[in-house]
Structures are given as structure tokens and as C-alpha cells.
Amino acid sequence: MLTLVTFLPLAGGLLLLLLGRESHAAIRRVALLTSTVTFLLSLLLLRGFDATASGYQLVERRPWMSNPQIQYHMGMDGISLFLVLLTTFLMPLAVLCSWESIHTRVKEFFLMLLALETAMIGVFFALDLFLFFLFWEAMLIPMYFLIGIWGHERRIYAAIKFVLYTMAGSILMLVAIIWLYSLSGTFDLPRIQSLLQEGVIRLPVRQEMLLFGAFFLAFAVKVPLFPLHTWLPDAHVEAPTAGSVILAGVLLKMGAYGLVRFCLPLFPDASHKFAPWIVGLAIVGIIYGALVAMVQPDYKKLVAYSSVSHMGFVVLGIFVFNQVGMQGAVYQMLNHGVSSGGLFLVAGMLYDRRHTHMIKEFGGLATPMPVLSSFFILITLSSLGLPLLNGFVGEFLILTGAFERRPAWAAYAATGVILSAVYCGVTSV
Amino acid sequence: MPLLDHLWIIPALPLLGAALNGLLGSRWPKSVVNAVAAGSTGLAFAAVLKVVQEFSSLPAAAVPWVRAYFPWIVAGKFRVDFALQVDQLTVVMLLVVTGVGWLIHIYSTGYMAHEGGYYRFFAYLNLFMFFMLVLVLAANYVVMFVGWEGVGLCSYLLIGFYFHKKSATDAGKKAFIVNRIGDFGFMLGMFLIFKTFGAFDFATVFQKVAALPVDPLHRFGTLSAIALLLFVGAMGKSAQVPLYVWLPDAMEGPTPVSALIHAATMVTAGVYMVARSNTFYLHSSVAMHLVATIGLMSAFFAATIALVQTDIKRVLAYSTVSQLGYMVLACGLGAFSAGIFHLMTHAFFKALLFLAAGSVIHAMGGEQDLLKMGGLRKKIPWTFWTMLVGTLAIAGFPPFAGFFSKDEILLASLTSPAGGVVTYWIALLTALFTSFYMFRLIFLSFFGSARYDEHSVHVHESPSSMIVPLVILAVLSLTGGWMAAPALLEGGVNHFEAYLSPVFAGIAHLPFETQSVSPPGSEHAYMALAVASSAFGLLVAWLFYIRRPAIPAKLAKFFDTPYNLLLHKYYVDEIYDALVIEPLEWVSTNVLWRGLDAAGIDGAVNGTADLAQDLGGQLRRLQSGNARSYGTWVIVGAVALTTLFLWLVA
């Protein structure tokens, strides 16, 4: 079942290859159909999910290579399930928003988009470190082309920056994965975890810190955590709308997902040791992202920097080490995925009509486009965490969790609440 | 008791109205939009009456009456229910909000009749009613926060209602942002409450607080911290010094909005919140003193600014800040019921004053400058007489409502340990100012000769949909204080205070109240003094603007510097701009964005890339094709890696 959900998009993408280069309508329909069916299938996962059970569910495990021993090991828990749902939900929207705006190399575009979906879902389901790394890297390729081919003026610079940043992090992660294999003789995540917990493998402090650091850097780039965030504004500004939606909606979540899935359970001591520093960076990111967002003339850059701020909340929630904070972080991941995806959709629609991302040229939208501007306001409000809209719950839980642990952390982070009103106010039409 | 079990119906009614008008209103004729908007609010008022009637027959042990409808946020031990409650304080607020709200809805159908975006206006107004009702019905801080933020949102949307005007959208943003500064405090207060008591709901928290010892005098404990953090929220919402700056600008919104949101209801939410949390404040004399000081400062400074403003709505706006200051002062003095009493009477007379001002503006074809009015008394008699009632009420002339509520606060400022003689005199001087600037407004607009072009402006009385609410509010402004009147007689009971006493029951048990001092002289003497100061204000205004109209100009010239200081509102906006907003923007743009982000981090990243390219160019020369040199490099590399590895593992 997990395999089906994971690879169905890729299958659909390959199906596109059989279609004629110029039959744009058919290509779009197949892409939409594939992504929609994938979404519906993933909803079935929700039905099959047992919230009361602990551990991974719907596990699939097949031997793949014997030496080194690599398994095709997939499984899901609550976090990965919801992140996959987020992915499969956003993908039909990404297809739809590319319907009119992509005119060149239509077939390749949708192939890339669908291949990207497979890689992303794979990342969330993979339970074998090697398999995980495979999906993780595979994700880069379609994203690189999406930005580099269908992007705006400085697309090549942005695409290369994106890939190099991510690669720099993932190479360290690869080293750490191999190191772990050399210690445990397996790539299997649950197995390594239990070996570590039972004390079969003992990691000396320095070694644990190095391994943690290697994984952490890879994920921190993706989140992105200050000061590793500078690829994000460029990538967002240059990417086509669908690329931005996926980037903000899903890709950023992978960093946070990685922290929760790998860093914390595998290296608990190092996590605790580094926590104050990481929280410090997260808080700096919250405030810094908001301040820089406040003065951006370009709307997509504004949303990009606001993402730095919002994802700072996620990292804060993860590293306060309490249930309230962690649940808040997961909520915030999902909600940020939805609302920032929504904001980029709006930005794309505005660009199609006005051919600019400059905020000062937006004014007076409410009269010609009352419906669009209503949604714009609604999504903006959810993004700034207004109660009863989705953004509030995550932010509130994270701050409560942070306050329990260290009131000053919550106080600093909560200034983001004021600043988000400022930068959202800048955009109001 | 059916409706008491379904309290959610009260806020749901205006929410339904907002949804209907928002989604379908653009296709409906105005009459249908009116019926939906005013009808849903009227039904909410009726529902409140029914609830109040049912509530009155509850046994005392069943109060506060709490109903939890569904769990909203659950994360481990963190749990927030969507729960509503009714107690005596809620009853007062519900009646004010839905009663005054309904009248203002009816008035708006006349006032907005010729405006664009008609359905949008009413959808927002109904949405506001929903959030305001959630705010006052909330049974815990988080649900209260929902209403709190929601009314702020509606305020933002309605201030910026004329979105073609840049000044209007700017004012909306300012209101939203300044309120968020307050919310920051409110949120931290909530977190501290949860950390300390493990709950957010009023019943649990207040019970636990009541059992705690009072924070020692002049010492700063957790309870003081909670009280002050919550008060930061109240300062934003109730426009207190130094966060009041958004309220005068909020007058950019349509006048019924100024009446409903920025005078009668939303801005009083801070006062309500402080009164609701009275247990915290009574546990901290530091907090009480600070609240009293801030309230007094707001009351006084805003009143001085109102003395010289010429925009009819701005005078009323500063007057609102000043009156809210009185309410906050009352809370700080421990006279919570006096604060809530003033909140109620103020809702009547200030809504009346704003609506009457709207009627004046309506009659003048949009003119708001007092200096361009004059002699309107004969032309719009209904507006004149009702506005005069409002003015007498706010100025504190007996037997109008404001007299009773203000008098209670003035007395409390003498008797409370958080008050004193200085507090009393400043509060009394503020009352004098109030009387002066209000009669100045009346004389400038309704008396004298017309200072506008009578050929181009055709002054006309407003339609009955606007006049009827004015008359009803005028009646309330006259009679609204009488329920506290018997206290003036020997052995009489202040019915309002007696009704609210269960909510503020904590006062009697705490050392705070027992320290109260009795002032020299009789209560009646102070009352006479208060009336005399109001009369004096009236007299001066009459002298300046009727009898000798040349005096104000001469005074302004003579006291040039103080006059300009007041006219420019102490330059507070300019100071905030120069000290906070501009530096923050400059640092964000030049230091953080262009400096750190672009030059610093990206510079390093691009630099590394360039370096790698250079290095690649150099290294290319190593690829000589010479096997021996390759072998050397392999060995060097292996040794280096092994050394590194050993060093790391060691």
C-alpha cells in the first residue's frame, strides 16, 4: 500500500512519456488524474491508521541488496502519515496552478513534478537509512530542473545555490549514515535505534555529537535554520508557482521531519546537549526572518523570509523536549505547509495578472478581484496565527511548551507574534 | 432551562448573519442585507434577555454557570475546551454588547444607505458581534483570546473599510499592530498562568489563586507578573498610555463603527478582562498601583489633548481614551464594580455621542471640522437634543448616568489605598476638562452662526432609522445611572454593585480592601465639588465659544508652545516613529537584510563557491596523467584521512 502511494505518481509521470509532445491538454489531465488518485489513496491510509498503536504501521520490508545489507523498508506513523497527506494534498493544487502558466516543455514539467512527489513521499515512508538517503537525493533532481528550466530571470543561480546548499548538508549525512552502518552493520532505522537504546552499541560522547552534527546540518539546511537559510529566498523568487508551493509546503518540512525522525531518537544525549544552541538559532531565525520579511519589496521574498520565521517556531517546539512543544511543532509543520502553499498560490495568481511580485504595485486588488483578495486575507491571517484559523494552534502550543521549559525562550519567540502582524500588514491590499 | 444549556446560540446568531451576508449579500438588495444583519443581532439580544431571565432563577451555588461544548486543543496535559460561562459580570456585558450593538446596527442601515460595499460592512459588523460575544462568554483565557483577537481583526477590517483611502488602511494596520503588542503580553500572561496553575479555565485558576497568599506589599511575585502581563493586553485593547495611539486614528472607519467598536464595546474589553481577572490584581498591590497610575495618566493626558482638537470625531476619540482611563483607574483602585458601571454608562452615552456626531457629519455632507460648523441647533433639532443629553451625561451632571458612575470612581480614588489626594485632584481636574471640551464641541457645532457655505451644504435631519436609536440611547444615558442612585440616600443600596458583588467577592476577604481610608469631609461635599467642577467646565466653554469667541485664539497665541504641544498630541506619534519604527526598518533593511543576509552569509557562500572554482582551476594541473604523482597523492590522502579519523574517534 505504501509502495503504491509512493510510486503511483512516478508511474503517472512515465505514462506522460507515451503522450505526444504537443498534446498539452492530455498531459495536464493525466498529471491531474495521477495526483488526485494518489491523494485519494493516501486518504485510505488515514482510514487504515490506528492512532492508538505505537510503532510503525503498514510496514513493508523486502531484502534489496545482501552486501551491504540494504532493505526496502517502508512504514508510517502519525507524523509521516500527515506529512504525506500534506504532500498528496498540495500536489493536485500544484498541477492546477501550472495549468495555464506553464507553456514550454509541458510534458517534462509534469514529469518532474510527479517524480518529485514520489521522492517526497518516499522520504517520509523510508525506514532504511540508505533508502531514505536515496529518496532524499532523488528529490533534488526534479526540483533543480523545476527551478532551473521553468523559473524566472535568475533561475540558474537559484537552482545551483539550492542544490549546492542541500548537497553540502547531505554529504555529511551520508558520511554519518555509513559510519552508523559500520558500527551496527545495518541501515535499518528501527534496528539501529533499538541497538542504541539497549546499549548494544555505545556511542562515545564525541562520536555521538559528531554523528548528530552531521545529520543535523543536513536537516538544518532544509528547514532552513538561521544562518543556513539564504538559498530559500532565491529559490522561492525564481521558482515557478508550483515549485514554490511544493518547496514551502513540503520540502521545508523534511528538515523538521528529519530532526524528529533521526536526530532525536538516535542521538538523544547530543540532542539535549546542543538544544540550547539550536533553540537560540531558532529564536534568532524567528525574529530575524520576521524583521527581514518586513522590509522586502518582493512578495515572494517576504513569504520566504516569513517561512524562516515560522520554521524557527517548529525547531523551537522540537527542541524544548516536551509533549506540548512537540505536538505544536507537528501542527505548525502541517499548518505552515497549507498556509504558505496558499500564499504562494496567491502570489502566482497575482503574477499571472499583474506580471510582478512587487508589493507596492499590488494595491487596490479588492475591487477587481474581490474573491481572490478575500482568500488572500484569509490565508494571510492564518499565517499570522489568528485564533480559529489553523496557524494559531501550533504556534500557541509551541510557545506554551517553550514557556514551560524556559519562560525567556517563549518571550523572545513571542515577539514574532508582533512582527508577523507587521509584515502581514505590509501586504494587506 | 433550555437556552442556558445552549449558550453558543448567542454568538452563533451574528456569525450566521455574517456568513449569509458575506457569501450571498452581494446579490441581495439592501433591505435583505439589513434584515439579516439587524435581525440576527436583534435575535441575539432576545436570546440574551432569555438567558438573563433564566440565569436570575439559578441558585447562587450554580454561578458561574459553565458549559463546555467540545475539546478544542488537547496535547497531553494541555487541554482547552470550547467552554462558555455566564455570571453576573457576563450578564452586564452581554446586555450592553447586544443591546447597544443592536441599536447601532439599526442606525447603520440608515447611515450606510448610500455607501458602497454595503453587504461587506454588515458582514464585518456581524462578525464583530460574534467575536465580542465569544469574548464576554468565554470560560477560559484561550477562548477569551479567540474573541480578543477576533474583535481586533474586525476592528482592522472596519477601520480600513474605505480601502481606497490610504489613511484608512494605514490606520487599520496601526490598530492591528499596536494591539498585537498588547497581545504579546496577554499571551505571556496565559503561558505563565498555565505554567503556574496547569489550567486556563477561570473557575480552576481563580480558585487556586484565591487560596494563595497575597504578594507582599511592593514585592514582585508570580501573581504580580501574571496581573501585569495580562494588563499589557488590556492596555492595547483599551487604548491606555502608552499604547493608546491607534484609537484616535481608528476614527478613519465609518462612524457607526467608531460608536460600536471604538467606544461602546471592543475598547472596553481590556477593562472587562482586568475585572474578570480581579483575583490576580487583588493579590498584588504592585499591579494595582500600576493599573491605577496608567488609568489616571490615560484619563488626564487624553483629556488635555481633547481640549484643542477640531475634528469632531477626534475629540470624541480622545474623550474615549480618557473615559477608558477612568475605568482602568477604577479597577486599579479595587473598585471593579464602579469600573464596570462606568463601562456600561459610557457605552450608552459615548455610543450616543458618536452616533449623534455621525448624524451631524451626515447632515453636513461629510464635514468633520468643528470650525466649519455652527448654528446647527435649529436645523437638526433631534440630533442636537440627543447629543446634549449625551454631553450632560459624560460631563457628569446629575441626574444623568455619567454622574453616578464617575462619582463612584472619584470617591474610590480617595478611599482606596491605591489612590490618594493627588489621584483625586487629577481625576477631578480631568472631569472639569471633560465638561469643557464636550461643551466646546456642542457650542462650536450647534450654536453661533453657520461657518459653512449655506448654498453648497444643505443641512438636513437624519432619517428615523438613525434618530430612533439616538432617542433610545438618550433615554438610557439619562436613566442608566439610577440603579446606583439609592446609595446617595441614607441607608440606600447601590443595586448595581450589589448585583455584581458575587463576582468581586474576593475583595472582602483580602487585606487590600481593609486598608481603605476614610477621607475628611462628607461624601456629599465631594459630590458637590464634582458637580461644581463640571459646571465650571461648562461655564468656561460658554465664555470661550459663545460669550467672547476671541479668547481661544488669543490664548492659543499667548500659550503658543503648550497649545502646539496639545494640538500635535504631545508629538507621541512622531516620537514612536523616530524611536521605534524608523530604526527598526533601517536596521532590518541595512543591517540584517543587505548586511548580514546578502553581504555576510551570501557573501560567504558565494565566496566559497568562487574559492572552489579557483581551487578547481589550480587542482586541474594535478591531473597530469602521471601515475606516480597519483600514487603519491593517494598515500598522502590516506594518511591524512586516517589521522583525522583517529583524532576524531579518540
Side-chain angles (χ1 to χ4, degrees):
Chain A
M1 185 66 188
L2 297 186
T3 307
L4 183 64
V5 174
T6 310
F7 287 99
L8 185 69
L10 185 62
L14 295 176
L15 189 67
L16 291 180
L17 293 178
L18 303 176
L19 297 171
R21 168 156 290 281
E22 293 306 317
S23 46
H24 292 177
I27 292 170
R28 289 177 188 132
R29 281 200 201 110
V30 170
L32 183 64
L33 189 71
T34 311
S35 54
T36 312
V37 171
T38 312
F39 177 55
L40 295 176
L41 272 177
S42 63
L43 284 179
L44 288 181
L45 294 179
L46 188 64
R47 251 189 57 192
F49 180 72
D50 178 5
T52 54
S54 65
Y56 299 103
Q57 303 184 19
L58 294 176
V59 173
E60 292 173 28
R61 190 203 289 262
R62 268 177 232 104
W64 182 10
M65 293 179 216
S66 53
N67 192 23
Q69 206 195 22
I70 297 170
Q71 290 181 318
Y72 177 79
H73 186 181
M74 309 270 270
M76 69 170 185
D77 63 359
I79 297 178
S80 47
L81 170 63
F82 279 104
L83 286 169
V84 165
L85 282 174
L86 176 68
T87 312
T88 57
F89 166 72
L90 285 175
M91 198 48 89
L93 299 180
V95 171
L96 281 173
C97 78
S98 313
W99 209 261
E100 295 287 334
S101 57
I102 300 296
H103 303 291
T104 52
R105 305 190 190 211
V106 177
K107 186 154 87 172
E108 287 86 344
F109 180 85
F110 287 106
L111 171 61
M112 289 302 163
L113 214 52
L114 291 170
L116 182 63
E117 183 173 13
T118 289
M120 292 188 300
I121 299 175
V123 164
F124 292 131
F125 282 151
L127 289 180
D128 182 281
L129 286 177
F130 188 86
L131 189 65
F132 170 79
F133 189 75
L134 203 73
F135 283 125
W136 180 268
E137 292 292 292
M139 200 172 65
L140 282 181
I141 301 162
M143 201 65 215
Y144 173 77
F145 287 120
L146 283 176
I147 301 174
I149 297 177
W150 293 276
H152 299 285
E153 293 80 26
R154 296 174 69 226
R155 55 182 179 270
I156 301 294
Y157 171 76
I160 292 180
K161 196 170 174 183
F162 164 71
V163 167
L164 284 184
Y165 248 111
T166 316
M167 287 289 269
S170 22
I171 282 174
L172 290 171
M173 181 163 74
L174 180 64
V175 171
I177 287 175
I178 293 172
W179 197 346
L180 273 179
Y181 175 76
S182 72
L183 290 170
S184 64
T186 175
F187 284 114
D188 193 75
L189 176 68
R191 173 114 186 90
I192 296 175
Q193 205 176 323
S194 63
L195 286 176
L196 285 168
Q197 266 163 15
E198 287 155 18
V200 181
I201 327 170
R202 278 188 197 284
L203 293 176
V205 179
R206 180 191 290 271
Q207 199 171 331
E208 190 188 342
M209 279 162 68
L210 277 170
L211 282 167
F212 172 84
F215 274 100
F216 177 77
L217 271 179
F219 299 138
V221 167
K222 263 282 191 292
V223 166
L225 192 65
F226 176 88
L228 304 173
H229 65 275
T230 61
W231 61 271
L232 186 70
D234 285 315
H236 268 317
V237 172
E238 301 307 325
T241 304
S244 292
V245 170
I246 296 302
L247 199 59
V250 185
L251 256 67
L252 305 189
K253 310 300 161 315
M254 295 191 162
Y257 170 78
L259 293 173
V260 177
R261 174 69 76 234
F262 299 96
C263 283
L264 259 50
L266 291 180
F267 317 112
D269 293 339
S271 301
H272 277 89
K273 203 162 282 170
F274 282 119
W277 299 97
I278 295 168
V279 165
L281 288 178
I283 291 172
V284 170
I286 290 170
I287 298 169
Y288 178 92
L291 283 176
V292 179
M294 188 176 83
V295 294
Q296 293 305 315
D298 183 309
Y299 184 64
K300 276 185 130 184
K301 271 203 172 175
L302 186 149
V303 183
Y305 279 107
S306 83
S307 291
V308 174
S309 186
H310 284 137
M311 294 307 290
F313 274 106
V314 174
V315 176
L316 173 66
I318 294 172
F319 280 90
V320 297
F321 300 114
N322 55 40
Q323 195 186 5
V324 178
M326 178 61 91
Q327 294 214 9
V330 175
Y331 263 118
Q332 174 87 344
M333 276 194 235
L334 298 172
N335 293 329
H336 177 259
V338 175
S339 51
S340 68
L343 288 178
F344 280 117
L345 281 176
V346 172
M349 290 179 199
L350 287 178
Y351 187 84
D352 290 344
R353 285 158 183 76
R354 296 253 168 136
H355 299 285
T356 180
H357 286 140
M358 291 296 146
I359 294 161
K360 64 171 187 285
E361 287 166 43
F362 279 1
L365 295 176
T367 315
M369 331 176 194
V371 179
L372 181 62
S373 48
S374 300
F375 280 104
F376 185 17
I377 291 174
L378 188 73
I379 300 169
T380 304
L381 291 172
S382 92
S383 155
L384 67 77
L386 203 81
L388 291 194
L389 299 177
N390 61 358
F392 171 72
V393 176
E395 221 167 76
F396 195 79
L397 285 174
I398 290 169
L399 287 171
T400 309
F403 197 95
E404 290 233 333
R405 186 150 156 92
R406 198 76 78 76
W409 288 354
Y412 295 134
T415 56
V417 172
I418 304 174
L419 294 172
S420 69
V422 181
Y423 65 71
C424 287
V426 170
T427 65
S428 64
V429 276
Chain B
M1 289 189 173
L3 210 49
L4 263 186
D5 286 323
H6 301 281
L7 293 172
W8 57 270
I9 289 178
I10 299 173
L13 283 165
L15 181 63
L16 185 68
L20 287 174
N21 271 340
L23 297 174
L24 306 168
S26 59
R27 279 168 235 149
W28 283 344
K30 285 182 176 174
S31 55
V32 179
V33 174
N34 285 346
V36 169
S40 63
T41 320
L43 280 177
F45 183 50
V48 165
L49 290 178
K50 181 81 172 60
V51 163
V52 171
Q53 183 239 324
E54 289 172 10
F55 174 80
S56 62
S57 56
L58 280 179
V63 178
W65 176 264
V66 184
R67 279 288 167 274
Y69 292 105
F70 58 89
W72 177 27
I73 309 175
V74 181
K77 67 186 166 81
F78 182 99
R79 181 192 169 97
V80 176
D81 285 321
F82 194 86
L84 304 176
Q85 76 166 39
V86 180
D87 64 1
Q88 288 83 357
L89 179 57
T90 318
V91 164
V92 173
M93 294 302 290
L94 281 176
L95 287 171
V96 169
V97 170
T98 54
V100 176
W102 186 38
L103 289 176
I104 293 174
H105 271 74
I106 293 170
Y107 175 95
S108 305
T109 59
Y111 187 86
M112 298 299 289
H114 309 295
E115 303 276 349
Y118 195 74
Y119 75 96
R120 195 164 55 92
F121 176 83
F122 280 105
Y124 291 164
L125 213 58
N126 269 6
L127 190 65
F128 168 78
M129 291 298 290
F130 161 72
F131 281 119
M132 192 68 208
L133 289 167
V134 168
L135 196 161
V136 298
L137 278 166
N140 62 54
Y141 279 105
V142 187
V143 174
M144 190 191 214
F145 193 63
V146 170
W148 187 269
E149 292 280 279
V151 291
L153 165 70
C154 297
S155 156
Y156 158 79
L157 291 171
L158 283 163
I159 295 170
F161 180 74
Y162 301 119
F163 56 81
H164 304 288
K165 263 167 77 185
K166 189 173 176 328
S167 58
T169 50
D170 283 352
K173 286 174 201 169
K174 185 169 172 185
F176 197 73
I177 291 165
V178 174
N179 268 295
R180 277 248 150 177
I181 298 175
D183 298 344
F184 168 78
F186 191 169
M187 283 179 89
L188 290 182
M190 282 195 282
F191 300 144
L192 188 53
I193 288 171
F194 185 75
K195 189 183 164 89
T196 316
F197 303 105
F200 287 112
D201 65 292
F202 297 146
T204 316
V205 172
F206 295 155
Q207 204 170 15
K208 287 186 178 173
V209 179
L212 291 173
V214 177
D215 271 4
L217 211 59
H218 308 308
R219 282 276 299 285
F220 198 82
T222 308
L223 296 178
S224 303
I226 293 174
L228 290 179
L229 285 169
L230 291 179
F231 184 58
V232 173
M235 279 156 71
K237 198 60 88 198
S238 288
Q240 296 296 291
V241 170
L243 297 181
Y244 69 94
V245 287
W246 64 271
L247 186 59
D249 287 15
M251 298 301 124
E252 292 286 344
T255 304
V257 170
S258 312
L260 177 62
I261 301 183
H262 304 119
T265 53
M266 182 190 84
V267 288
T268 62
V271 179
Y272 166 74
M273 189 253 267
V274 171
R276 170 62 73 207
S277 315
N278 64 79
T279 322
F280 284 116
Y281 292 90
L282 290 168
H283 275 78
S284 161
S285 77
V286 181
M288 293 293 262
H289 277 99
L290 196 96
V291 171
T293 310
I294 295 279
L296 187 65
M297 278 171 66
S298 306
F300 181 74
F301 284 118
T304 59
I305 296 174
L307 294 175
V308 300
Q309 299 301 314
T310 56
D311 182 316
I312 187 169
K313 284 182 76 181
R314 293 224 166 216
V315 174
L316 292 178
Y318 281 104
S319 153
T320 304
V321 176
S322 176
Q323 298 299 311
L324 288 165
Y326 271 123
M327 298 172 210
V328 171
L329 170 66
C331 292
L333 297 169
F336 293 102
S337 88
I340 296 297
F341 189 38
H342 197 55
L343 186 160
M344 185 185 81
T345 60
H346 176 258
F348 298 150
F349 59 68
K350 191 51 75 62
L352 169 61
L353 288 170
F354 265 115
L355 295 186
S359 181
V360 170
I361 296 166
H362 195 256
M364 295 289 298
E367 184 57 61
Q368 301 196 9
D369 191 345
L370 287 168
L371 301 180
K372 292 180 185 151
M373 296 178 183
L376 295 173
R377 184 174 33 139
K378 296 266 167 54
K379 291 181 173 155
I380 43 174
W382 284 100
T383 306
F384 167 67
W385 285 107
T386 49
M387 194 159 192
L388 186 64
V389 171
T391 304
L392 288 165
I394 192 175
F397 285 97
F400 294 90
F403 164 73
F404 299 97
S405 53
K406 199 178 284 182
D407 193 60
E408 261 192 70
I409 297 173
L410 286 173
L411 263 185
S413 70
L414 272 177
T415 54
S416 164
V421 181
V422 180
T423 311
Y424 174 78
W425 283 107
I426 296 176
L428 189 70
L429 187 60
T430 306
L432 193 160
F433 286 170
T434 310
S435 173
F436 171 79
Y437 66 65
M438 281 313 302
F439 279 103
R440 170 178 176 266
L441 187 154
I442 291 284
F443 292 145
L444 280 175
S445 50
F446 291 102
F447 287 77
S449 53
R451 289 182 300 276
Y452 53 89
D453 182 2
E454 287 184 77
H455 298 290
S456 58
V457 184
H458 299 286
V459 178
H460 53 281
E461 185 61 286
S462 300
S464 56
S465 57
M466 290 164 69
I467 296 300
V468 171
L470 287 180
V471 172
I472 296 174
L473 284 169
V475 171
L476 287 170
S477 300
L478 173 61
T479 60
W482 294 356
M483 61 184 93
L488 299 180
L489 310 168
E490 207 69 39
V493 179
N494 179 339
H495 292 298
F496 190 82
E497 194 172 353
Y499 184 69
L500 282 183
S501 61
V503 184
F504 304 125
I507 298 173
H509 307 296
L510 290 162
F512 193 83
E513 176 71 5
T514 55
Q515 301 162 0
S516 75
V517 280
S518 47
S522 76
E523 267 188 36
H524 289 89
Y526 288 103
M527 209 173 287
L529 195 57
V531 176
S533 76
S534 298
F536 186 66
L538 162 63
L539 195 70
V540 177
W542 174 78
L543 185 69
F544 279 19
Y545 297 98
I546 301 279
R547 183 77 209 191
R548 298 246 189 284
I551 296 182
K554 277 188 202 153
L555 275 179
K557 207 163 181 184
F558 191 75
F559 295 105
D560 186 36
T561 316
Y563 174 73
N564 270 309
L565 195 63
L566 292 182
L567 193 63
H568 292 98
K569 309 148 216 160
Y570 297 102
Y571 297 95
V572 171
D573 277 325
E574 287 80 359
I575 293 170
Y576 283 181
D577 250 3
L579 287 186
V580 183
I581 298 165
E582 279 166 21
L584 205 60
E585 279 194 0
W586 189 87
V587 167
S588 301
T589 310
N590 295 309
V591 178
L592 297 182
W593 178 30
R594 300 236 163 81
L596 187 57
D597 225 59
I601 302 172
D602 257 8
V605 171
N606 292 338
T608 316
D610 291 343
L611 192 72
Q613 229 163 27
D614 282 357
L615 208 64
Q618 303 284 334
L619 287 175
R620 201 176 50 187
R621 293 187 206 147
L622 295 174
Q623 314 286 330
S624 55
N626 183 336
R628 198 162 2 137
S629 102
Y630 284 174
T632 318
W633 284 112
V634 168
I635 292 168
V636 169
V639 171
L641 274 180
T642 317
T643 320
L644 184 71
F645 204 72
L646 287 173
W647 176 76
L648 287 175
V649 173

